[in-house]
């Protein structure tokens, strides 16, 4: 439904007075999905799509598409259209160049799918002058496991036959992400960290959290469920909030798995000029804490974006 789709994408909103923001939701070899947040009056530059197909569907407010063609060395405007909530637009380089933005007085959000994803895009000025912008995603190669080390797949299998009463710390201490799992689960958003639901059972949820440089998350309320946290790559700072005593916990890839009762809210931040990847296992988690995570709903969401469930 439209409401469930909105609930899925709303956590990627990120408005800024400095310019529109792009939040990566999914990146695979076949497609990229992003949520764009547009403050009133913000527009993209005129650009192409490097041979890719591009779909846009509006989540909030109104989004205007202005189309252009190259003619006699100049960029000529051919028309425009304003899309409202739920409306779909499609473009490729054989159709036109375009610029996209928010013509209204309130914030707008749109979800974009590009297939295949493109590494570089051409930006145009009305004079015909062009420049290339690199959109290369941040990569995380993962590593092969050996000996007693475990993969995410190994942990997922163990979850099927285990209860929350098990001490998962020594198990998670041995977990690493294989190259195949990195391609499937690891996505770094430019403006917000990405959380991916790897697996869930009746009483457990395994979540991978991917942090770009200097990203943070503020939890205004406690999780309400015990959890285990293992930093697989990089370093993270956990700052308790809303209590009389301020506690700071620093975890890095050399730290043992940390257990928390889930009674205290935290600000979590990657304060360094490096990416970070953390693994979280929640015991009997409330369903609402899983709502913002990328899940198998990605495929139904694509169907909604492309207009197949009208």
């Amino acid at each position: 439904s439209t409401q469930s789709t909105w609930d899925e994408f709303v956590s990627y909103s990120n408005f800024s007075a400095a310019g529109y923001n792009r939040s990566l939701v999914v990146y695979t070899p076949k497609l990229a999905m992003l949520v764009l947040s547009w403050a009133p009056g913000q527009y993209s530059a005129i650009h192409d799509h490097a041979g890719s197909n591009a779909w846009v569907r509006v989540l909030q407010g109104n989004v205007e598409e202005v189309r252009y063609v190259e003619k006699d060395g100049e960029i000529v405007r051919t028309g425009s259209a304003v899309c409202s909530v739920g409306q779909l637009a499609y473009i490729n380089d054989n159709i036109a160049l375009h610029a996209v933005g928010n013509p209204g007085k309130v914030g707008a959000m749109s979800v974009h799918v590009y297939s295949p994803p493109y590494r570089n895009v051409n930006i145009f000025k009305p004079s015909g002058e062009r420049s290339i912008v690199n959109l290369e995603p941040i990569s995380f190669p993962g590593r092969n496991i050996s000996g007693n080390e475990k993969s995410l797949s190994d942990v997922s299998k163990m979850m099927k036959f285990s209860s929350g009463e098990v001490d998962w710390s020594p198990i998670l201490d041995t977990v690493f992400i294989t190259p195949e799992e990195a391609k499937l689960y690891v996505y770094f958003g430019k403006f917000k960290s990405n959380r991916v639901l790897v697996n869930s059972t009746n009483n457990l949820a395994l979540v991978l959290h991917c942090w770009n440089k200097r990203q943070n998350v503020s939890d205004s309320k406690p999780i309400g469920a015990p959890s285990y946290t293992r930093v697989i790559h990089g370093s993270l700072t956990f700052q308790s909030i809303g209590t009389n005593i301020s506690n700071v916990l620093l975890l890095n890839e050399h730290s043992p798995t940390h257990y928390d009762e889930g009674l205290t809210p935290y600000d979590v931040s990657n304060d360094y000029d490096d990416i970070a990847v953390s693994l979280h296992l929640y015991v009997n988690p409330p369903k609402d804490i899983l709502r913002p995570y990328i899940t198998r709903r990605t495929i139904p969401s694509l169907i909604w974006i492309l207009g197949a469930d009208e």
Side-chain angles (χ1 to χ4, degrees), residues 187-203:
Y187 311 113
F188 295 95
K190 185 175 181 180
F191 299 103
K192 283 193 173 184
S193 57
N194 277 345
R195 293 171 286 189
V196 183
L197 183 62
V198 177
N199 188 37
S200 63
T201 65
N202 289 335
N203 54 9

Side-chain angles (χ1 to χ4, degrees), residues 45-48 70 75 97 122-126 128-131:
I46 302 169
H47 61 278
D48 66 9
E70 290 185 88
I75 305 301
L97 309 172
N122 289 299
I123 301 296
F124 297 85
K125 293 182 178 180
E129 180 183 348
R130 73 171 66 188
S131 58

Side-chain angles (χ1 to χ4, degrees), residues 137-145 176-188 208 232-233 274-275 277:
I138 297 171
S139 63
F140 178 78
R143 49 160 284 191
N144 294 318
I145 60 174
F176 293 91
I177 301 172
T178 68
E180 294 76 17
E181 291 171 339
K183 293 177 182 178
L184 182 61
Y185 296 118
V186 179
Y187 311 113
F188 295 95
L208 194 68
I232 295 177
H233 179 85
D274 188 15
I275 57 174
V277 179

Side-chain angles (χ1 to χ4, degrees), residues 115-162:
S115 179
Y118 46 82
R119 298 286 196 263
N120 300 289
V121 61
N122 289 299
I123 301 296
F124 297 85
K125 293 182 178 180
S127 62
E129 180 183 348
R130 73 171 66 188
S131 58
I132 298 177
V133 176
N134 182 271
L135 300 175
E136 183 78 24
I138 297 171
S139 63
F140 178 78
R143 49 160 284 191
N144 294 318
I145 60 174
S146 61
N148 293 324
E149 295 175 346
K150 294 178 176 58
S151 66
L152 297 180
S153 177
D154 292 332
V155 177
S156 294
K157 292 176 183 177
M158 296 176 68
M159 290 169 60
K160 295 180 181 179
F161 306 101
S162 179

Side-chain angles (χ1 to χ4, degrees), residues 23-70:
S23 297
L24 180 65
V25 178
V26 171
Y27 189 99
T28 75
K30 293 186 177 181
L31 65 87
M33 182 191 297
L34 302 96
V35 168
L36 275 63
S37 303
W38 313 85
Q42 291 179 341
Y43 278 76
S44 73
I46 302 169
H47 61 278
D48 66 9
H49 294 91
S52 291
N53 299 289
W55 294 265
V56 180
R57 198 153 192 181
V58 180
L59 296 169
Q60 173 184 310
N62 294 308
V63 172
E64 182 181 23
E65 181 193 32
V66 184
R67 292 191 171 184
Y68 301 83
V69 295
E70 290 185 88

